[in-house]
Amino acid sequence: MSTKECKECMVCKEPLKGRRYKKCEDCDPFWDKAKAIIDKPESRKPVRFHKDEEQNIALFAKEMRDDWNRQAPYYLCKYTWMRMLLKLPKIEKKDDESQEEFEEREKNQKKNNEFLKYLVFSPDRIDSKEDYIKGNIRVCSYLGNVMKNALDEEIFDSVTTEMIKSRLTIGRDKDLAKMLILVLKDFYSAKRFSQEELDKLFEE
């Protein structure tokens, strides 16, 4: 059966509606992200899900969508602990606003998007030495992915530790803070603190 004859989404296998023939609207962000990475092989690791080009895109997109769904309901980036976005918000003209008002709102949104683009989801390879393959994909924010790729393991662990500390709102209860650091750091990475290292984090 040709792609144009498909009656179900190539990614999630849900029935297609309207004039869609490859993927459903919900899978658009994952498909677009997969295609963008596959279309730039010189700047990325290879994507190895299937020899057929469209199946390769679809299976890669499915891997991302499945992991995205596992992050529900909060969709927090594993590295920054900030809420991820599927895509940047679009501005549409309201019935009761002037063209001038719309253009001003659009201008402000574009400025906002310069930051928000770092919160859009990005596929992270769990083992950075491996290609984009099944079982080696998780979604994080673009910012988290950039940080992971730019920093070596020791510096990256230091950055994420400081992020965790900055989010603890537990007053001066250092024992509870240390316990939470251990739990949360286990969520972030494989870093394990000795008691001495843990104590140093809270030295005045």
Side-chain angles (χ1 to χ4, degrees):
M1 182 169 64
S2 69
T3 303
K4 289 189 177 182
E5 293 172 338
C6 284
K7 298 298 182 183
E8 63 180 28
C9 175
M10 292 178 68
V11 179
C12 68
K13 305 305 180 185
E14 290 294 318
L16 291 173
K17 299 176 181 178
R19 296 183 178 181
R20 289 181 169 268
Y21 65 89
K22 287 184 184 179
K23 71 274 196 280
C24 65
E25 186 176 357
D26 289 344
C27 288
D28 275 344
F30 306 103
W31 180 282
D32 292 345
K33 183 75 71 176
K35 189 175 187 305
I37 291 172
I38 290 171
D39 284 349
K40 292 185 177 180
E42 71 284 350
S43 61
R44 297 275 194 161
K45 282 277 191 176
V47 177
R48 304 187 190 278
F49 284 86
H50 201 283
K51 291 182 180 179
D52 178 78
E53 183 179 355
E54 287 197 336
Q55 285 295 331
N56 201 29
I57 295 171
L59 291 172
F60 186 16
K62 182 181 186 304
E63 194 83 354
M64 286 188 277
R65 175 166 180 163
D66 287 349
D67 195 58
W68 173 269
N69 289 338
R70 283 192 285 269
Q71 312 306 319
Y74 303 112
Y75 305 102
L76 299 181
C77 171
K78 181 177 178 65
Y79 302 123
T80 65
W81 228 13
M82 298 170 75
R83 189 178 181 92
M84 296 182 287
L85 301 175
L86 270 180
K87 54 189 175 182
L88 292 176
K90 288 186 178 180
I91 293 295
E92 295 183 357
K93 191 174 182 300
K94 299 176 182 178
D95 293 336
D96 60 347
E97 72 178 339
S98 68
Q99 184 63 26
E100 186 179 43
E101 290 172 327
F102 168 66
E103 289 176 358
E104 181 64 24
R105 198 160 56 87
E106 187 179 42
K107 179 183 175 182
N108 290 336
Q109 186 60 58
K110 285 181 178 178
K111 189 175 181 180
N112 248 2
N113 284 354
E114 288 302 308
F115 165 69
L116 293 179
K117 68 183 181 183
Y118 290 101
L119 302 184
V120 174
F121 81 95
S122 176
D124 173 40
R125 286 171 292 118
I126 298 169
D127 183 345
S128 298
K129 296 177 183 177
E130 294 291 335
D131 297 335
Y132 291 98
I133 56 175
K134 186 172 179 59
N136 195 42
I137 307 295
R138 67 181 161 212
V139 293
C140 62
S141 67
Y142 175 54
L143 175 61
N145 217 341
V146 168
M147 286 171 52
K148 183 188 175 192
N149 291 330
L151 305 176
D152 65 36
E153 187 175 351
E154 184 176 348
I155 295 174
F156 181 77
D157 268 322
S158 297
V159 170
T160 55
T161 299
E162 288 305 314
M163 284 181 168
I164 295 171
K165 283 176 63 180
S166 72
R167 284 160 175 75
L168 295 178
T169 54
I170 53 178
R172 301 190 178 190
D173 191 338
K174 292 184 180 180
D175 288 334
L176 180 56
K178 290 175 185 178
M179 181 183 73
L180 287 173
I181 283 283
L182 289 176
V183 173
L184 293 171
K185 198 61 182 177
D186 183 57
F187 173 77
Y188 273 98
S189 75
K191 171 70 176 178
R192 295 293 180 271
F193 288 100
S194 67
Q195 188 61 48
E196 183 180 358
E197 290 173 320
L198 201 55
D199 291 338
K200 283 183 178 180
L201 285 176
F202 293 89
E203 289 180 351
E204 297 293 339

